[in-house]
Amino acid sequence: MSKINVKDITTQKENMRKALKEARRSIPKDKKHSADVEICARFLMTEDYINTDLVLLYSSKGDEIDTTPLIYASLANNKRVGLPRCNGEILDFYYINSMDDLTVGSFGIMEPDVKKCKRILDFRDSILVAPGLGFSPDGSRIGYGRGYYDRFISHYKGKVFGLCYHSLVKLNIPVEETDQKVNVLITEKYTRNI
């Protein structure tokens, strides 16, 4: 059995991140908007979402799939909503009650304001939406390269969702031992349990 060359995988991942970012940027605004609406609707129709008490989301940025409707819908549906905050090398989640509980945090991402929000310590009966630049049909995920979500998912017991534009689902996502998969992949064309 040949040994995996970490440097090669790192290079492959960086090249794929560049290509995926460029592909995502090139999606026309009207197509992006209609895909965002369909992806969010598909997520909100899953039994996992309907039956959960706690939804762990993230605040989207730039040309990511817009998660703002998911945050508003979850709050309106009387779900407890948690959003992440980077704390050193780890990701902590905090309950939010509205978008007013957010402040600009690490990497320019909207994060819970720790002065207003309580840290989540019990993740029972929760589901997680993990961001990614791209996903493979088997649930492999390529993120932004800092490993926050891989570290969190490695000890998270709930179901993990990946939201992705159909055009960014790729068969050849390079993976390392520490990379974590999602359990459900949702695009504007399908919902796939993995």
Side-chain angles (χ1 to χ4, degrees):
M1 188 169 158
S2 64
K3 210 167 187 188
I4 297 171
N5 187 330
V6 175
K7 189 176 179 187
D8 287 348
I9 289 181
T10 303
T11 302
Q12 288 172 19
K13 282 185 167 183
E14 282 311 310
N15 291 338
M16 182 164 267
R17 282 186 187 102
K18 270 188 220 164
L20 288 168
K21 283 178 184 176
E22 184 54 42
R24 194 168 69 184
R25 261 193 303 273
S26 70
I27 298 172
K29 280 192 192 289
D30 59 333
K31 283 190 177 177
K32 178 191 177 334
H33 176 72
S34 62
D36 287 359
V37 169
E38 181 63 28
I39 289 166
C40 288
R42 285 178 179 277
F43 174 75
L44 295 171
M45 289 187 296
T46 63
E47 279 189 41
D48 293 295
Y49 172 79
I50 292 165
N51 294 324
T52 196
D53 179 51
L54 173 58
V55 185
L56 305 173
L57 296 164
Y58 62 92
S59 182
S60 55
K61 178 183 170 193
D63 55 15
E64 290 181 318
I65 292 166
D66 186 6
T67 59
T68 308
L70 297 180
I71 296 169
Y72 281 120
S74 297
L75 291 168
N77 290 327
N78 296 313
K79 307 277 187 193
R80 292 180 301 151
V81 177
L83 265 65
R85 183 176 183 86
C86 295
N87 182 9
E89 290 295 305
I90 64 167
L91 208 54
D92 286 328
F93 281 83
Y94 291 80
Y95 294 110
I96 66 159
N97 294 309
S98 78
M99 296 298 274
D100 294 334
D101 290 344
L102 304 179
T103 184
V104 178
S106 304
F107 315 109
I109 298 167
M110 296 302 287
E111 295 182 335
D113 183 341
V114 293
K115 294 175 192 152
K116 296 179 179 179
C117 304
K118 183 180 172 191
R119 188 167 160 226
I120 302 172
L121 300 172
D122 183 355
F123 294 99
R124 281 177 296 186
D125 300 320
S126 70
I127 58 174
L128 169 69
V129 176
L133 287 163
F135 294 83
S136 68
D138 73 348
S140 295
R141 164 188 166 274
I142 187 161
Y144 293 90
R146 292 188 168 86
Y148 284 100
Y149 275 87
D150 289 319
R151 286 188 291 276
F152 182 81
I153 294 168
S154 70
H155 64 268
Y156 176 70
K157 306 286 187 234
K159 201 170 264 192
V160 182
F161 286 75
L163 310 179
C164 187
Y165 297 116
H166 184 70
S167 60
L168 303 183
V169 175
K170 304 294 180 189
L171 292 171
N172 60 341
I173 296 221
V175 293
E176 296 172 84
E177 208 174 289
T178 54
D179 292 334
Q180 303 293 314
K181 291 185 177 190
V182 298
N183 307 112
V184 183
L185 179 61
I186 299 178
T187 76
E188 68 273 25
K189 296 192 177 189
Y190 59 77
T191 300
R192 172 176 288 153
N193 288 287
I194 299 162

